Structures are given as structure tokens and as C-alpha cells.
């Protein structure tokens, strides 16, 4: 009997991790398939966009130092990513190879049960089978977050680290303001003392207050290790007295668009 995607995900015995990955893949697949022009694009093109966006976040696990992220956790992440991506009708040779290697590593460590071990060949066959994109787009998930006002959060983008303060939570999204600091090493709360708010630039070159409703920032702690709690209960965010007030209260974005913007 052929094994199904959900069967494999259940065998990983990592419900929070699977929920986070599946939600991220569905979110990226939805937005890639939403524009009218998506109907004329090849599934492979859509898939390449989806996978690139998902990996902007989950590479924080896949490319992490083994000292920081347990190898078995990284292997479960690689396999769950490949399965969730394949379930949405996409595939990537490098991601599939990483998942197959993860299966071997998990079995060698006897990390999962006998069913997983016995069905190794079936799981590999599923991952290497042609991916078929579902006729329907994934549904839009209800916004929610476990992060709270007063949290100070470190955010990893590739090999750079940023930080922001959560002013409040509105309609399931943290409203955040960034500290004007970025560095190669993870930030600590002590390093943010006295750091001003990072502003945006208007057309005339003046700096204005820059705040975001950051959708998709859900679980705390973050299973992808992209977002890390640096402090909590901090009533006062970064000093923004030097920034001009903008017309809007905040810009609406999500963790994937914000990550791409910070890469520029």
C-alpha cells in the first residue's frame, strides 16, 4: 500500500514542527498562485518561487551549526519540508536529496519507530514521484500569534541578525518597530540598550517612523529558529524621537516579504 504525505508527517512525531512547516509552505503556495497571471505559469516556476521563499526562513535550521541545532532536528526539518512541498505539487532535487539523506540518518540513529524504518523505501518513492499541484489553492489561514506586546525579538535573515520590539498585537499580528542595528552574530538584549529605532526613507530623503504588522509570526519559541525572544515585558521600545511621523499607522507585511526586504 502506497504511503501518503500525511502518513509520513505523522511518523516524524514532531507535531509543532510539522504544523509550522506545513503552514509556511501553504502560505507561500497560496500567494504564489493567487495573482491572475499565475494561471499561465508552469507549476515548476511557481514551485521554484515557493521553495525559495520557504527556505529563506527554514535555512535557519538546515544551515545552522550542529552546536546550535541538534542534527536530528535538522533531519526532521529537511524531511518535513520535502514532504510538505511535494504535497503542494512542487519538488526540488536538492531538497529531495536532503530528505532522503535525512531518512537514512534518522534510521541510523533509531530516532523514530519501526514503521518509519520499514517504510523507508515507500517514503523515498513518494518523494521521487512526480509532484502534482492540487487543483485548489491552499486556504488562507486564520492569523494568530503567541508573541506578546513588550517582547523584544531577534530576527535572522541569511547571515545577518536584526531585532525589533512588539508594540502591540492587532488582529493576530504583532505590530513591530525595528532597532537600528544589524550584525553577523545573534543579538542580545544588552546590545540594544540606547539603540534608536530604524526609520524608513521618504522620497525627499527624510527619515520617518517605520512600523509593520508582521503576519505569520506565530509560534513562540519559533520552530525555525529565525525569531528568538531576547526580552519580554519591555514597555518602551527603541527611541524614535528623531523620526518624522508617517501618515499610516503601520505597513502590513508578513515574515516572508519582510525577510526578502531585509536581504536587499
Amino acid at each position: 500500500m502506497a504511503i501518503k504525505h500525511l502518513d509520513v508527517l505523522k511518523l516524524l512525531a514532531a507535531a509543532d514542527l510539522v504544523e509550522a512547516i506545513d503552514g509556511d509552505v501553504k502560505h507561500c503556495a497560496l500567494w504564489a498562485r493567487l495573482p491572475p497571471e499565475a494561471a499561465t505559469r508552469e507549476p515548476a516556476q511557481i514551485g521554484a518561487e515557493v521553495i525559495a521563499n520557504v527556505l529563506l526562513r527554514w535555512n535557519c535550521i538546515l544551515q545552522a551549526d550542529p552546536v546550535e541545532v541538534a542534527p536530528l532536528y535538522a533531519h526532521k526539518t529537511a524531511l518535513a519540508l520535502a514532504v510538505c512541498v511535494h504535497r503542494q505539487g512542487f519538488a526540488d532535487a536538492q531538497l529531495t536529496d536532503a530528505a532522503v539523506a535525512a531518512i537514512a540518518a534518522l534510521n541510523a540513529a533509531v530516532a523514530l519507530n519501526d514503521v518509519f524504518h520499514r517504510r523507508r523505501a515507500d517514503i523515498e518513492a513518494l518523494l521521487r514521484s512526480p509532484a502534482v499541484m492540487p487543483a485548489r489553492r491552499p486556504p488562507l489561514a486564520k492569523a494568530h500569534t503567541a508573541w506578546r506586546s513588550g517582547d523584544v525579538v531577534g530576527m535572522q535573515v541569511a547571515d545577518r541578525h536584526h531585532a525589533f520590539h512588539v508594540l502591540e498585537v492587532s488582529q493576530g499580528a504583532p505590530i513591530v518597530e525595528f532597532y537600528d542595528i544589524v550584525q553577523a552574530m545573534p543579538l542580545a538584549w544588552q546590545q540594544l540598550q540606547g539603540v534608536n529605532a530604524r526609520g524608513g526613507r521618504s522620497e525627499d530623503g527624510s527619515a520617518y517612523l517605520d512600523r509593520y504588522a508582521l503576519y505569520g509570526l506565530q509560534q513562540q519559541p519559533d520552530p525555525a529558529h529565525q525569531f528568538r525572544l531576547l526580552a519580554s515585558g519591555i514597555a518602551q521600545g527603541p527611541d524614535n524621537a528623531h523620526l518624522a511621523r508617517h501618515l499610516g499607522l503601520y505597513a502590513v507585511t508578513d515574515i516572508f516579504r519582510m525577510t526578502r526586504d531585509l536581504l536587499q
Side-chain angles (χ1 to χ4, degrees):
M1 182 193 239
I3 197 166
K4 298 180 180 179
H5 298 98
L6 287 178
D7 296 330
V8 181
L9 295 174
K10 288 178 182 178
L11 287 173
L12 288 176
D16 289 345
L17 175 64
V18 167
E19 179 186 358
I21 291 174
D22 191 47
D24 283 353
V25 172
K26 286 178 177 177
H27 177 89
C28 291
L30 170 64
W31 285 102
R33 296 181 60 183
L34 203 55
E37 59 270 21
T40 64
R41 299 175 69 194
E42 293 293 328
Q45 293 177 304
I46 298 174
E49 177 185 327
V50 171
I51 293 167
N53 285 332
V54 169
L55 289 182
L56 283 175
R57 171 163 159 72
W58 288 93
N59 273 338
C60 295
I61 295 293
L62 299 183
Q63 298 178 355
D65 190 310
V67 174
E68 296 183 3
V69 176
L72 291 180
Y73 186 83
H75 291 316
K76 286 188 177 185
T77 298
L79 180 52
L81 279 167
V83 172
C84 290
V85 164
H86 193 275
R87 188 183 178 203
Q88 292 304 317
F90 313 120
D92 173 80
Q94 187 172 353
L95 191 58
T96 300
D97 288 345
V100 171
I103 294 170
L106 289 166
N107 280 328
V110 196
L112 298 173
N113 62 27
D114 289 343
V115 177
F116 182 84
H117 185 273
R118 289 198 308 269
R119 305 217 63 178
R120 169 180 179 170
D122 295 328
I123 298 170
E124 291 184 15
L126 174 66
L127 292 173
R128 297 198 184 280
S129 67
V132 179
M133 193 165 65
R136 292 185 179 181
R137 297 186 296 251
L140 181 63
K142 183 178 179 181
H144 69 277
T145 185
W147 299 80
R148 295 291 178 259
S149 62
D151 286 345
V152 176
V153 185
M155 178 181 182
Q156 181 179 350
V157 178
D159 59 351
R160 310 296 288 173
H161 295 267
H162 307 256
F164 57 78
H165 176 259
V166 179
L167 287 82
E168 60 178 306
V169 174
S170 176
Q171 299 181 349
I175 310 302
V176 310
E177 189 171 353
F178 277 83
Y179 291 84
D180 192 13
I181 186 172
V182 57
Q183 65 182 39
M185 298 297 293
L187 287 156
W189 165 237
Q190 292 76 11
Q191 295 173 281
L192 303 178
Q193 309 307 302
V195 177
N196 289 338
R198 180 189 304 169
R201 287 288 172 184
S202 60
E203 293 182 358
D204 63 5
S206 60
Y208 61 84
L209 185 64
D210 214 4
R211 289 175 176 170
Y212 302 91
L214 193 56
Y215 284 89
L217 186 59
Q218 298 178 347
Q219 294 170 304
Q220 206 282 102
D222 177 23
H225 291 205
Q226 183 183 13
F227 299 94
R228 304 188 187 196
L229 182 65
L230 305 182
S232 59
I234 306 301
Q236 185 64 45
D239 186 358
N240 57 33
H242 62 296
L243 300 172
R245 293 302 184 265
H246 206 42
L247 291 178
L249 293 175
Y250 48 77
V252 175
T253 187
D254 64 30
I255 56 177
F256 299 98
R257 282 178 285 176
M258 179 58 70
T259 298
R260 288 198 305 270
D261 289 344
L262 291 175
L263 277 173
Q264 297 176 3

